């Protein structure tokens, strides 16, 4: 009997997604397609507000592409499924927060997968690298994302040398939000996820769409699209019950009750 490389668990409005593919949690084409379906369903489920991505075991988060599967015929440019590699990297309309809990080695595509999350929490023994340079290929998603996340010269050093760095250094450059003892990583991650899940989902959707839209836009162009309600999530928010609820709750000095509509 074949077991799924991905397990999911619902905790209220939080979806815990665990990559569980021994021995190292590497991702082949079939796993990537399953992950895409999981994150697509999360995106489209109105009862879910936050996803947490982690991995089984305490040694590997994910080393990225499964080279053994590639040697057996998986094409590097094959069908990764909806969302691209790991199901998250190119998933359109992902307007819900995603938190990565990195519990071990995250290198190559595994680090790129973590970079697809909105926040990254790391165990204190986690290590990172982009070693593609050593195998004569390019860390494509990291080459796009990393220089926008951390200082340019540090990003280029990591891309051009492929060297390893630890969780403390990742935190120093702002690549991860928090570094935690391994035995408290998931407790803290789920605590953070529940805190975010208690917030206004329509506002989160608007934030994520605005950030994506503004990434390569001039400031005034981005502001014009927001104020003219040209972004779908912003238009929905400005006409929502939740926006009125937020104002009423403030005026009445009470906690708001968010309904996501």
């Amino acid at each position: 009997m074949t077991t799924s490389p991905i397990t999911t668990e619902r905790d209220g409005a939080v979806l815990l997604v665990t990559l569980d593919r021994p021995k190292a949690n590497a991702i082949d084409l079939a796993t990537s397609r399953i992950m895409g379906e999981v994150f697509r369903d999360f995106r489209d489920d109105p009862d879910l507000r936050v996803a947490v991505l982690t991995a089984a075991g305490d040694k590997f988060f994910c080393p990225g592409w499964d080279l053994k599967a590639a040697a057996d015929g998986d094409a590097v440019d094959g069908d990764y499924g909806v969302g691209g590699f790991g199901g998250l990297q190119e998933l359109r309309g992902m307007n819900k927060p995603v938190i990565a809990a990195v519990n071990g080695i995250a290198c190559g595509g595994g680090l790129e997968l973590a970079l697809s999350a909105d926040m990254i929490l790391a165990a204190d023994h986690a290590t990172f690298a982009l070693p593609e340079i050593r195998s004569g290929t390019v860390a494509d998603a990291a080459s796009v994302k990393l220089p926008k996340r951390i200082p340019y010269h540090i990003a280029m050093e990591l891309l051009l040398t492929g060297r390893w760095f630890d969780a403390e250094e990742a935190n120093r450059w702002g690549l991860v939000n928090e570094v935690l003892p391994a035995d408290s990583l998931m407790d803290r991650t789920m605590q953070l996820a529940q805190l975010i899940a208690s917030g206004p989902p329509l506002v989160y959707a608007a934030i994520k769409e605005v950030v994506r839209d503004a990434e390569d836009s001039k400031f005034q162009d981005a502001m014009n699209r927001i104020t003219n309600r040209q972004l779908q999530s912003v238009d929905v928010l400005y006409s929502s019950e939740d926006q009125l609820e937020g104002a009423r709750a403030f005026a009445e000095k009470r906690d708001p009750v968010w309904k996501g509509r």
Side-chain angles (χ1 to χ4, degrees):
M1 180 177 179
T2 302
T3 60
S4 174
I6 305 297
T7 62
T8 61
E9 180 181 346
R10 298 172 76 116
D11 184 358
V14 176
L15 180 69
L16 175 61
V17 180
T18 303
L19 175 59
D20 186 4
R21 190 166 182 265
K23 299 179 179 180
N25 295 322
I27 297 175
D28 62 358
L29 289 178
T31 301
S32 182
R33 289 193 287 266
I34 293 170
M35 294 177 76
E37 292 169 1
V38 166
F39 285 113
R40 179 199 60 201
D41 292 347
F42 161 73
R43 179 197 64 188
D44 297 340
D45 189 331
D47 294 326
L48 291 171
R49 296 187 177 183
V50 180
V52 170
L53 171 63
T54 193
D58 58 7
K59 184 176 180 180
F60 289 96
F61 172 73
C62 177
W65 177 238
D66 186 342
L67 295 178
K68 290 184 179 179
D72 289 337
D74 266 13
V76 69
D77 59 349
D79 178 14
Y80 291 105
V82 60
F85 181 80
L88 192 58
Q89 201 159 263
E90 301 171 68
L91 185 59
R92 294 181 181 274
M94 176 54 96
N95 286 340
K96 296 179 180 180
V98 179
I99 304 172
V102 177
N103 57 311
I105 293 170
C107 63
L111 176 50
E112 292 178 320
L113 181 60
L115 287 170
S116 299
D118 300 295
M119 285 173 278
I120 304 174
L121 277 64
D124 52 13
H125 71 279
T127 54
F128 306 84
L130 293 164
E132 282 85 346
I133 185 71
R134 298 174 187 172
S135 58
T137 188
V138 60
D140 46 14
S143 297
V144 174
K145 293 180 178 181
L146 199 61
K148 299 178 180 180
R149 308 286 179 84
I150 66 175
Y152 173 84
H153 296 99
I154 303 302
M156 292 304 292
E157 176 198 352
L158 298 176
L159 287 163
L160 294 173
T161 67
R163 72 170 176 85
W164 288 86
F165 56 105
D166 61 17
E168 181 182 351
E169 182 178 356
N171 186 240
R172 186 165 71 247
W173 298 126
L175 186 63
V176 304
N177 297 80
E178 297 181 37
V179 177
L180 299 146
D183 59 3
S184 62
L185 174 65
M186 290 311 300
D187 285 345
R188 171 57 183 152
T189 302
M190 294 303 291
Q191 178 188 48
L192 179 60
Q194 292 291 356
L195 173 65
I196 295 172
S198 69
L202 296 183
V203 176
Y204 294 155
I207 289 171
K208 290 202 63 171
E209 187 173 14
V210 166
V211 169
R212 282 200 311 273
D213 180 75
E215 190 170 28
D216 297 312
S217 300
K218 293 181 179 179
F219 174 79
Q220 196 57 57
D221 291 341
M223 288 300 297
N224 289 342
R225 284 193 288 276
I226 295 168
T227 56
N228 291 327
R229 297 171 64 158
Q230 293 174 349
L231 302 179
Q232 182 180 8
S233 62
V234 174
D235 185 50
V236 169
L237 173 64
Y238 286 174
S239 303
S240 69
E241 292 180 30
D242 274 4
Q243 186 169 61
L244 289 174
E245 168 64 8
R248 288 179 183 137
F250 179 81
E252 296 168 8
K253 298 181 180 180
R254 60 173 174 82
D255 291 333
V257 178
W258 307 116
K259 297 181 180 179
R261 60 177 187 266

